[in-house]
């Protein structure tokens, strides 16, 4: 019980504003390091199943604070005696996610990205260009034989809720792999492929259909799904028609059809160079739209 009280007293003591005369350079360094670590932690939590766990932890902490303020001694005693078990359970249940996060941290060149950001940017630009060329090759190879395809390139707005409807992958983008995924009568050919950070993250995903009445009635489900996902996010969607073999791109709810190789390359080049702004507004618009549909 005393440990819980000391814990909350220590937390509340942080609210006291320190004197500016006591601030040193080391304090600013500590603030920067802590802010960076917290940012990476929250970013990881947001993109994994740990987000649901994190919201549950917030509820438990809020409940514990209320119990402390109201001096509910029995609840505080239960919280004190189960806290260690809960922490151990968290590490056991989320061991795969924690291992994946540590592996990603080990692969990152943190110091080079901080002290030489241009080199990191150049490397990412080259990887993106190579990824785009592989996509273009796969798209037009499939267009020649009229193999339907639906490819979603994520940008600022994450689409985890739609990725979870499919099968999770973690593969380098290659034309051969994309063609094999969309090949007829294969387990992954139906649905959309999601590409994030130049990697295929999921396949056979289901997308929301557009309700835009101005779209041609001749368009099938694949095109309406491509337009639908572009309406609620800042992604760019590539569609290959199974009936005609035509290549189309959907962006911001607008469908550009009958694209050539150079036109698709130009679309992807613009996607790479365009400032990624307005994503949060489109995300909010999509959330409100989905909630409205659910209420109906």
């Amino acid at each position: 019980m005393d440990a819980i009280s000391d814990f909350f007293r220590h937390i509340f003591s942080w609210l006291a504003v320190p004197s500016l005369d006591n601030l040193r350079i080391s304090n600013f360094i500590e603030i920067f390091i802590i802010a960076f670590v917290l940012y990476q932690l929250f970013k990881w939590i947001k993109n994994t199943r740990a987000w649901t766990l994190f919201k549950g932890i917030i509820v438990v902490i809020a409940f514990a604070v209320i119990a402390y303020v109201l001096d509910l001694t029995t609840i505080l005693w239960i919280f004190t005696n189960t806290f260690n078990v809960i922490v151990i359970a968290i590490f056991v249940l989320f061991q795969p996610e924690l291992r994946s996060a540590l592996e990603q941290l080990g692969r990152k060149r943190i110091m080079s990205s901080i002290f030489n950001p241009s080199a990191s940017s150049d490397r990412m630009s080259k990887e993106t260009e190579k990824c785009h060329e592989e996509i273009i090759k796969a798209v037009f190879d499939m267009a020649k034989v009229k193999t339907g395809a639906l490819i979603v390139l994520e940008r600022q707005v994450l689409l985890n809720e739609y990725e979870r409807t499919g099968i999770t992958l973690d593969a380098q983008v290659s034309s051969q792999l994309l063609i094999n995924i969309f090949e007829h009568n294969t387990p992954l050919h139906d649905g959309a492929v999601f590409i994030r950070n130049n990697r295929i993250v999921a396949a056979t995903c289901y997308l929301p259909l557009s309700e835009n009445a101005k779209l041609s009635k001749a368009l099938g489900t694949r095109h309406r799904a491509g337009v639908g996902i572009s309406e609620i996010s800042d992604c760019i969607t590539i569609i290959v028609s199974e009936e005609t073999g035509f290549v189309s791109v959907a962006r911001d709810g607008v469908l550009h059809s009958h694209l050539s190789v150079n036109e698709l390359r130009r679309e992807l080049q613009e996607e790479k160079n365009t400032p990624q702004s307005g994503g949060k507004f489109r995300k909010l618009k999509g959330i409100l739209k989905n909630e409205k549909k659910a209420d109906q």
Side-chain angles (χ1 to χ4, degrees):
M1 196 70 64
D2 293 336
I4 292 292
S5 300
D6 293 339
F7 172 76
F8 283 114
R9 289 195 196 95
H10 186 61
I11 292 295
F12 293 143
S13 67
W14 288 358
L15 299 177
V17 179
S19 174
L20 295 178
D21 297 333
N22 297 329
L23 290 178
R24 297 173 297 177
I25 296 179
S26 60
N27 296 130
F28 292 101
I29 295 176
E30 288 179 336
I31 292 172
F32 173 78
I33 294 174
I34 294 173
F36 178 78
V37 171
L38 287 177
Y39 170 76
Q40 294 295 332
L41 177 62
F42 285 124
K43 184 178 178 181
W44 171 75
I45 289 174
K46 183 67 176 177
N47 296 331
T48 64
R49 293 185 303 159
W51 176 242
T52 304
L53 172 68
F54 182 71
K55 290 189 290 186
I57 291 175
I58 292 177
V59 173
V60 172
I61 293 176
F63 189 71
V65 171
I66 294 173
Y68 172 76
V69 172
L70 299 179
D71 196 22
L72 305 177
T73 56
T74 304
I75 294 178
L76 289 175
W77 180 85
I78 295 173
F79 181 79
T80 303
N81 287 274
T82 58
F83 181 77
N84 293 335
V85 177
I86 293 174
V87 171
I88 295 173
I90 289 173
F91 282 98
V92 172
L93 291 175
F94 288 89
Q95 182 269 339
E97 283 80 5
L98 292 171
R99 178 176 178 179
S100 175
L102 291 175
E103 289 176 350
Q104 292 178 13
L105 182 62
R107 287 196 296 264
K108 288 183 178 180
R109 299 178 180 179
I110 298 175
M111 300 307 295
S112 62
S113 62
I114 294 176
F115 294 104
N116 192 10
S118 60
S120 177
S121 178
D122 292 340
R123 184 174 65 254
M124 179 60 69
S125 179
K126 291 179 180 179
E127 291 177 358
T128 301
E129 185 176 350
K130 180 181 177 182
C131 173
H132 288 173
E133 290 302 319
E134 292 291 332
I135 293 173
I136 292 171
K137 184 178 186 307
V139 164
F140 283 93
D141 283 349
M142 290 186 287
K144 291 178 182 177
V145 295
K146 296 184 178 180
T147 298
L150 184 56
I151 303 173
V152 179
L153 282 74
E154 283 190 2
R155 298 176 73 194
Q156 286 288 88
V157 178
L158 296 181
L159 299 168
N160 291 334
E161 62 268 36
Y162 298 106
E163 292 171 17
R164 294 191 190 101
T165 64
I167 297 176
T168 301
L169 301 175
D170 183 18
Q172 183 177 353
V173 176
S174 68
S175 58
Q176 296 90 341
L177 178 57
L178 287 172
I179 293 172
N180 190 67
I181 288 175
F182 289 109
E183 185 65 31
H184 291 292
N185 301 322
T186 57
L188 300 180
H189 85 280
D190 190 22
V193 162
F194 277 85
I195 295 178
R196 181 197 302 139
N197 295 332
N198 302 325
R199 294 188 69 82
I200 300 175
V201 295
T204 186
C205 302
Y206 294 100
L207 307 182
L209 299 182
S210 174
E211 297 180 355
N212 187 353
K214 295 182 180 180
L215 290 176
S216 172
K217 302 298 181 183
L219 295 178
T221 304
R222 183 177 288 111
H223 287 79
R224 289 188 173 275
V227 175
I229 195 68
S230 72
E231 290 175 343
I232 62 174
S233 74
D234 60 349
C235 70
I236 179 170
T237 309
I238 304 173
I239 308 109
V240 180
S241 173
E242 191 172 350
E243 289 74 22
T244 64
F246 292 145
V247 176
S248 305
V249 165
R251 186 208 301 265
D252 297 329
V254 179
L255 185 67
H256 307 275
S257 302
H258 301 188
L259 299 184
S260 65
V261 174
N262 291 331
E263 287 172 335
L264 178 58
R265 183 177 288 110
R266 188 159 50 247
E267 288 281 347
L268 295 177
Q269 187 68 26
E270 291 177 0
E271 180 270 336
K272 183 177 70 172
N273 297 330
T274 301
Q276 297 175 351
S277 61
K280 293 183 179 179
F281 174 77
R282 277 188 290 269
K283 181 66 173 176
L284 178 60
K285 177 182 175 182
I287 293 173
L288 294 176
K289 181 179 178 180
N290 289 340
E291 289 180 350
K292 182 178 178 181
K293 289 170 64 177
D295 292 339
Q296 295 174 350

